[in-house]
Amino acid sequence: QVQLVESGGGSVQAGGSLRLSCVGSGRTFSGSSMGWFRQAPGKGREFVAAMASIGGNTYYAESVKGRFTISREGAKNTVSLQMNSLKPDDTAVYYCAAASSRLRFLSAATLYEYWGQGTQVTVSS
């Protein structure tokens, strides 16, 4: 059974930082795309960042570019999201996602087969 488990969410003041981590189990994701999406109250799921494969290209939403950094460790089957200069608009439930292969279109949520349960990030002004 494939599972993705996120950790690292919490509450922080604007301008602060948080680091989210996601550990995958049940299969290896080193050659597959992994990423992060988020969903704010009353809004749809939004792409945040993704990496095509271990050592592959990365892609960020414009709203987080320059503030968030995605990284992966193949041996540990993990993907992390370092979030700096957080803003109240970053408040959302953040979801880890993984595909069964390397994706061409990293921002398309429908192409990811596996999802974590989500972790809450709250940024206060």
Side-chain angles (χ1 to χ4, degrees), residues 40-71:
K43 296 186 178 181
R45 192 161 295 190
E46 175 190 30
F47 170 75
V48 176
M51 185 178 287
S53 63
I54 296 294
N57 60 297
T58 56
Y59 185 55
Y60 295 91
E62 284 298 321
S63 59
V64 307
K65 199 173 290 186
R67 300 187 298 122
F68 291 10
T69 302
I70 189 171
S71 60

Side-chain angles (χ1 to χ4, degrees), residues 13-49:
Q13 288 191 325
S17 298
L18 284 173
R19 184 177 180 86
L20 306 182
S21 293
C22 171
V23 180
S25 61
R27 61 160 288 168
T28 180
F29 292 103
S30 59
S32 303
S33 299
M34 297 186 77
W36 292 91
F37 291 76
R38 67 187 181 187
Q39 188 164 13
K43 296 186 178 181
R45 192 161 295 190
E46 175 190 30
F47 170 75
V48 176

